[in-house]
Amino acid sequence: MERVCLVTAGASRLGSAIVRTLHGSGARVAVHYNRSRERAEALAAELEAARAGSTLLLQADLLDTGRLAALVETTVGRFGGLDLLVNNASSFYPSPLADLGLAQWDDLMGSNLKAPLFLCQAALAHLRARRGSIVNIVDIHVDHPFPEHPVYNIAKAGLAQLTRCLAWDLGPEIRVNGVSPGVALTAGEIQGIDQAERRSYEQATALKRIGDPEDIAGAVRFLAFEAPYVTGHILAVDGGQTIL
């Protein structure tokens, strides 16, 4: 039986790498997007050319909590079940205290914590029926706060704790894990930064290189499909950046 996966913000960058990796492992994938329609359609066309009937596109603003259950139900209606939820969608921008307003709080907390929580709730019965799993995309800055980003840091810290809480509460039927990326840039993004910035990123890691989205996607696949005795774990994929 083919696994069924739902990936939020799956149309570009890290999300599209996760989608391609899961699809390449034989899964059928529901790809959520908000404003990236053209990228989502191009990705779906690519994957459908490889395996017809294997993808589903779902548009929604995840801050509209009332639409979250429909993402899950539409996926299940199309593919017959759900084996994996990947909470990848995230807003990321500075929120210095002096300039912070409720709109920034609601956006950053909503995309990084509230939406994952209620998507997990919506998917609960379907994941339990298939003994599925959840993978949350966290961040190494949970333990090493990113300057001038207090709300983002708080929200991702909450997502890390949610991962641990749900791992205990939803076991043994559902495993819940997280991946904490370090710097992970596409080839085009690496070309877009100057050499000094690139060297700075590289020297901050034990492996002396910048990660790419496929590094993160491989960790998601491992936790989802290859780690049946792992739950409540948050795997740092950062080239050793957080060793010291």
Side-chain angles (χ1 to χ4, degrees), residues 63 90-114 138-139 141-142 145-160:
L63 298 183
S90 171
S91 296
F92 174 77
Y93 51 81
S95 57
L97 186 59
D99 303 321
L100 178 62
L102 285 175
Q104 293 95 331
W105 172 270
D106 290 341
D107 180 37
L108 289 163
M109 294 296 290
S111 64
N112 288 293
L113 182 55
K114 183 179 180 182
V138 190
D139 195 298
H141 294 296
V142 165
F146 198 68
E148 298 295 303
H149 289 67
V151 181
Y152 174 81
N153 293 331
I154 293 166
K156 285 297 191 182
L159 184 60

Side-chain angles (χ1 to χ4, degrees), residues 150-187:
V151 181
Y152 174 81
N153 293 331
I154 293 166
K156 285 297 191 182
L159 184 60
Q161 187 69 338
L162 177 66
T163 300
R164 300 183 188 101
C165 290
L166 293 186
W168 186 263
D169 292 345
L170 303 185
E173 295 91 354
I174 301 171
R175 294 183 303 108
V176 186
N177 292 290
V179 174
S180 279
V183 177
L185 303 177
T186 65

Side-chain angles (χ1 to χ4, degrees), residues 81-97:
L82 183 64
D83 298 280
L84 173 65
L85 170 63
V86 181
N87 284 306
N88 168 65
S90 171
S91 296
F92 174 77
Y93 51 81
S95 57
L97 186 59

Side-chain angles (χ1 to χ4, degrees), residues 215-235:
D215 292 318
I216 314 304
V220 172
R221 177 181 58 195
F222 166 73
L223 290 171
F225 298 158
E226 301 170 20
Y229 199 56
V230 178
T231 194
H233 183 71
I234 299 174
L235 176 61

Side-chain angles (χ1 to χ4, degrees), residues 123-138:
L124 178 59
H126 300 294
L127 291 173
R128 183 170 282 150
R130 304 267 285 246
R131 298 187 73 86
S133 69
I134 298 166
V135 178
N136 295 320
I137 304 302
V138 190

Side-chain angles (χ1 to χ4, degrees), residues 13 184-193 195 198 210-214:
R13 292 198 74 255
L185 303 177
T186 65
E189 289 169 333
I190 291 175
Q191 292 174 359
I193 62 177
Q195 289 300 310
R198 178 172 180 171
I210 297 173
D212 58 46
E214 286 70 27

